[in-house]
Amino acid sequence: MSVCKNIEQLRAQISEWRSNKETIAFVPTMGNLHAGHLSLVELAQQKAVHVVVSIYVNPLQFSPDEDFSSYPRTLEEDLKKLEAIGTDLVFVPDTSMIYPRGETKSSFVEVPVLSHIIEGEFRPGFFRGVSTVVLKLFNMVQPDYAVFGEKDFQQLLIIKQMVNDLNLPIEIVAAAIKREADGLAMSSRNNYLNPSDREKSCLLSQALMACRRQIEQGISIEQAEKSCVDALQNHGFLVDYVTLRETMGLEKVSKSDINANNELIILAAAKIGNTRLIDNMKFVIIDKT
Ligand code: PAF
């Protein structure tokens, strides 16, 4: 496995693969890798001859009151995990390489509408930071495929739209959410949970499941979302949102959309203790009439 710290090294390896007409799949990460990330790499390996993983904690996607400086950085362990599963190349740029002018003075890319709803309402600037760094990494790695986890479902749709809007010749591949045995969606931020919050954290996926069941049973959307929020609040969560949407553009759905075999998704974000968790659940209601 090669580890490239600068763009020249990365480009040299990419050109060699390209000249041999070998395909490349890319997995961008912020490091602190867990089994969820490794499942993205394994999916990438099924898609292309070579897999490139980037590890970069992108300052542009953190607001001043978020955890940029304390975000877990575990490069040595990450490299061991990636080597063990046969990753070809790990790109570990630093900020002077990604934002040579400083991150606030550089050009940016922003996907309209989708970047400003749901998660975007609670984290202004977050998706602009994500799409900007992902576009820059795409330009550096020039992959045929790029793999993103469905845990960050809105991020996945935003990257898909950016790739479409800007005609990038990259296929975006979605990877299913990896969960702990108790249902908690895997995330690097789960490391922040203290033992008592960790115990409660699985209630988020359970609440989403209960919400899904209620919608399947025909309870009104507002009532199902509200009882999910109430259940979480009763267990000490501070809820940012629980919302039912369709999966193409995250538009709100009405009762009639529900019965049209559309794929639906319940998205949620809530804080337990000091840790903000996000999760989602996709499902289809088959119209039996
Ligand atoms: O999902 C993440 O880890 C990040 O948002 C990404 C895509 C690596 C961009 O920094």
Side-chain angles (χ1 to χ4, degrees), residues 28-30 37 56 58 61 71 126 130 133-134 148 152 155:
T29 80
M30 298 209 297
H37 293 111
Y56 176 62
N58 172 35
Q61 68 189 76
Y71 195 85
F126 169 62
V130 171
V133 81
V134 170
F148 290 82
D152 300 295
Q155 167 175 283

Side-chain angles (χ1 to χ4, degrees), residues 120-137:
E121 277 181 40
F122 288 87
R123 302 182 70 190
F126 169 62
F127 287 122
R128 176 201 284 195
V130 171
S131 39
T132 300
V133 81
V134 170
L135 181 60
K136 287 166 84 66
L137 291 166

Side-chain angles (χ1 to χ4, degrees), residues 169-220:
I170 302 172
E171 186 185 317
I172 301 301
V173 179
I177 300 179
K178 266 270 197 205
R179 295 183 182 278
E180 304 289 353
D182 65 359
L184 174 66
M186 289 186 187
S187 161
S188 299
R189 289 191 168 101
N190 294 350
N191 289 331
Y192 298 151
L193 293 163
N194 66 29
S196 118
D197 292 338
R198 171 65 190 87
E199 228 170 84
K200 289 186 196 152
S201 60
C202 63
L203 296 170
L204 181 57
S205 63
Q206 288 173 18
L208 291 184
M209 228 135 41
C211 186
R212 170 190 172 161
R213 271 195 303 273
Q214 290 192 326
I215 288 164
E216 285 169 340
Q217 285 160 7
I219 289 173
S220 83

Side-chain angles (χ1 to χ4, degrees), residues 39 42 45 50 73 80 130 155 192 210 219 235:
S39 74
E42 280 156 1
Q45 285 168 331
H50 297 288
R73 288 160 172 87
K80 280 186 202 144
V130 171
Q155 167 175 283
Y192 298 151
I219 289 173
H235 286 101

Side-chain angles (χ1 to χ4, degrees), residues 135-153:
L135 181 60
K136 287 166 84 66
L137 291 166
F138 280 176
N139 286 332
M140 293 173 194
V141 177
Q142 303 195 341
D144 303 286
Y145 304 91
V147 183
F148 290 82
E150 288 190 334
K151 155 115 188 327
D152 300 295
F153 194 81

Side-chain angles (χ1 to χ4, degrees), residues 118-119 149-154 176-180 182-187 190 200-211 228 232 237 239-245 250 265-271 275-282:
I118 317 175
E119 187 70 0
E150 288 190 334
K151 155 115 188 327
D152 300 295
F153 194 81
Q154 192 172 350
I177 300 179
K178 266 270 197 205
R179 295 183 182 278
E180 304 289 353
D182 65 359
L184 174 66
M186 289 186 187
S187 161
N190 294 350
K200 289 186 196 152
S201 60
C202 63
L203 296 170
L204 181 57
S205 63
Q206 288 173 18
L208 291 184
M209 228 135 41
C211 186
C228 186
L232 289 167
F237 284 80
V239 181
D240 280 347
Y241 57 83
V242 172
T243 183
L244 178 75
R245 303 286 166 128
L250 298 183
I265 186 165
I266 310 164
L267 302 136
K271 242 175 144 185
T275 311
R276 186 172 184 275
L277 303 172
I278 65 169
D279 200 352
N280 66 71
M281 197 152 291
K282 271 194 311 181

